[in-house]
Structures are given as C-alpha cells and as structure tokens.
Amino acid sequence: MLTLFRVLSVLPLWLLHGLGWGLGWLTFLASPTYRQRFRTNAALAGLGAADVQAAVGHAGRQIAELPRLWFGAPVPVQWEGDAVLDEVHQNGKGVLLLTPHLGCFEITAQAYAERYHAARGDVTVLYRPARKRWLHALVEGARNRPGLVAVPTTLAGVRQLLKALKLRKTVGLLPDQVPPEGLGVWSPFFGREAYTMTLSARLAQQTGATVVLLWGERLPWGRGYVVHARELGVALAPDAAESARQINAAMERLIRECPGQYLWGYARYKKPKEAS
C-alpha cells in the first residue's frame, strides 16, 4: 500500500481530484445507506440537493488527494484571514486550531506548520488511529513531518496536547468527531442532538489557549487550496454543555461558508462507542 501511495503521489493534483470525483459519485450511487445519511444530514441544515451536490465529488477527492499531500511535492496554498493568526500569535498564549470535516482538513495543519513552525515550534495535531495495523503505520508515518507532530486519540495523546499548549505552542483537532461514551455531551448540531466532544473546550479553559477556526478550501481544477482562518467570536462558557453548543455553532458557521465541501455523509449523529 505504501508503494501504491508513493506512485500516486507523483500524479498532478487535478488528475487525483478527477479520480476522486468519480470515486465519490460511485460510492454515493452504490450505497443506499450512505446516500440516505448524506441527504438527511443536508436536509437538517436546511440545504437542498443543489446546495450540496458538489460535496458528493469532494468526499472522493478527500481520499484521492492523500497520496500527494502525504508523499508528493508541495501543493499551492493561499491564505485568507491570516491576520487573525498574526494577532493571536502576539498575545503570547497557546493556540487551539479547530477544523470541522470541511474541505481538505489535512492541508490546514500542514500549511500552518509550514508557515509558522519556525517561529512557534512544532504543531501538534490529534488524529484517530486507523483500526488496521498496516494502515495505522502508513498514516502515522505520513502525518509526522518537520514542524508537525501527530498524536493519537489516547490519554497519552491528550497529555501531549496539554503540554504543548502550556508551552504556548499550537495544537489542532477536529471537534466534530464523535468521541467515545463519557467523553462528550449531547448538543444541537444543525438542530439535532449530536454527541459532541468536550475536549476542545477543556483544552482551551485549562491552558488559557486562544481558539482559532481553520478550514482548507479546495480550488477547482487542482489549483491548490485556500486556508481560511476565523475568530471563534465568543468566550467559551465554563459549563460543558454550553461550551459544546458554542463550538457546534461555530462549526455550523464554517460549514455554511462552503456546504459543497462538507462531508455530509459523515455519521455525525451516531451513538458513541463505549470508552476503552
């Protein structure tokens, strides 16, 4: 599999995105369960087929672009809203980057590390390890790179996040992942109760870190990406349920910026697994 990824990594981004578009539509047409979940989730947000049709192809592009992002030559990246980061960096606190399942969330951490790690040190990002051992080794090796440290969703990984923030460094995670039972609260997400992690708010509250919203937009025809930075806009409440509601609302705002690149097929409303 590593060999295959390295072979694919030399392909131009436009070609990988084209192949990914086909993969996305093949999956959508072949799986009634996935198709129904996709449509139901979009309807909860008040969006019709025309609003989210592009997201079918973008779901496949997310997979197809990984070989290039992990093993290939650098891709073009532009920044929008980076003045938010410049201001935040001046306050001398740690920075917590929150990114939903929107656009290319792989590029956000890479682009941030490339641009800022010389001044701020390594960026630490939280990821969910793959279940298959061979895939776990592939992902772990691909995501760790100069300026970027990937840690698993374990107690040890959370401790590394805390340590980095206390050292006034930057960490990143996806707050709309469904956490194991006992590690979240039920909170509205597009009007429906979704089990929502409390980790992101706790990290900010325990370390005094500043929260910044970040997402990576794919440009057409493989022209690269635009990384968008946004302020959270509110002070996180000390109450876990209220802070989860605030973060979900922030994720909704980002998704509405570009609904055609959100993973509407993601099982956001599933029942959490038992904590290990």
Side-chain angles (χ1 to χ4, degrees), residues 152-163:
T153 51
T154 62
L155 182 57
V158 172
R159 285 173 176 163
Q160 287 182 258
L161 296 182
L162 278 168
K163 180 179 179 181

Side-chain angles (χ1 to χ4, degrees), residues 200-224:
S200 50
R202 294 205 318 271
L203 287 172
Q205 291 161 349
Q206 291 179 20
T207 64
T210 302
V211 177
V212 176
L213 312 178
L214 213 64
W215 73 279
E217 177 186 4
R218 292 185 193 89
L219 294 176
W221 304 105
R223 296 202 306 268

Side-chain angles (χ1 to χ4, degrees), residues 23-40:
L23 175 64
W25 275 101
L26 179 63
T27 303
F28 184 82
L29 296 174
S31 174
T33 301
Y34 172 77
R35 188 165 62 246
Q36 181 60 43
R37 184 168 62 235
F38 183 104
R39 290 171 172 169
T40 300

Side-chain angles (χ1 to χ4, degrees), residues 1-2 5 70-71 106 125-144 150-154 157 160:
M1 184 58 69
L2 177 58
F5 265 59
W70 285 351
F71 301 107
E106 198 75 34
V125 294
L126 189 70
Y127 77 99
R128 181 170 294 170
R131 295 179 181 178
K132 297 185 180 298
R133 181 173 298 180
W134 63 268
L135 185 56
H136 172 72
L138 172 66
V139 172
E140 183 179 21
R143 282 181 168 155
N144 284 287
V151 298
T153 51
T154 62
Q160 287 182 258

